[in-house]
Amino acid sequence: DEKGWYNALSFPLPIASNFKVYCMYGLLEENTTTEMGYVYEVDANLSEIATSMYINTTVQDHPIRNGVVMGPGDATVPLASLSYPCMNWKYNNQHSNPRGARGNRLSTTVMNPGNSPITIREYIHGKPTAGFQASNNMWKEELTTMLRGGEFAASHVEILGNREFLHDLLMIVTRSIDGVPETELADQIQSDSYERFMKAMSSQQEDS
């Protein structure tokens, strides 16, 4: 549907040869870093709904802070928004656990009809992934003090300077790095985003 192809949550990917999708985003380890919702109250003294609702900033009940519900994410975008579209493309064709288990089809809507490869890479703010090794010849200057947030920053904007993210990006757009043969990047899921996705899918099925 040309009128709605831009809606990643509702419309499937195109069927195209050599089409690949890479989802790359950062996460903060603390699970209460990102705004996810708000505690609203209604002022009974005001008649207009648009003006009578306000955020009750007096509510302080973990994970609610000053009336704001906090949760996991990159300090700007919640984890659900970061991961859901890619999980939907990857696992809504076939229930396939990233840890190896397989199950039944989740829904009748095939979100990836061409079976395009979907690679999900999560980066934890402030530290490299275990086993990460970049060629020393890639960098001409120490990045620790060169970039805002440090060389492994992975918050919303600072991930653009993340050393591991840049390494992976170069792996995607070039055939080789420093003489290393081209290799396909594997999934790197370091959060409970898969479990959250499966829970959301189960809830949708129960509601239907």
Side-chain angles (χ1 to χ4, degrees), residues 59 111 172:
V59 178
M111 298 305 296
I172 294 170

Side-chain angles (χ1 to χ4, degrees), residues 29-141:
E29 283 192 292
E30 172 60 48
N31 279 333
T32 55
T33 60
T34 307
E35 295 183 14
M36 296 183 62
Y38 306 93
V39 179
Y40 288 103
E41 299 286 347
V42 176
D43 189 335
N45 297 319
L46 298 175
S47 59
E48 295 293 332
I49 294 296
T51 57
S52 63
M53 295 188 67
Y54 66 95
I55 297 176
N56 186 348
T57 57
T58 65
V59 178
Q60 304 283 349
D61 185 13
H62 185 81
I64 301 172
R65 188 184 309 156
N66 300 324
V68 179
V69 182
M70 307 298 289
D74 68 358
T76 300
V77 180
L79 175 60
S81 298
L82 291 168
S83 63
Y84 185 89
C86 303
M87 292 285 177
N88 204 24
W89 295 327
K90 190 176 183 73
Y91 298 115
N92 209 0
N93 279 6
Q94 178 75 26
H95 177 175
S96 174
N97 190 307
R99 295 171 180 80
R102 299 187 68 83
N104 297 320
R105 194 183 189 82
L106 288 175
S107 74
T108 57
T109 303
V110 177
M111 298 305 296
N112 185 2
N115 291 316
S116 299
I118 310 295
T119 302
I120 302 172
R121 303 281 292 179
E122 295 181 344
Y123 306 88
I124 302 300
H125 180 74
K127 65 180 184 181
T129 303
F132 168 71
Q133 291 183 339
S135 169
N136 292 330
N137 295 332
M138 287 177 61
W139 315 106
K140 302 301 181 183
E141 184 175 348

Side-chain angles (χ1 to χ4, degrees), residues 180-193:
V180 179
E182 180 183 12
T183 57
E184 290 291 338
L185 290 174
D187 285 343
Q188 180 173 282
I189 300 175
Q190 306 191 74
S191 69
D192 62 348
S193 55

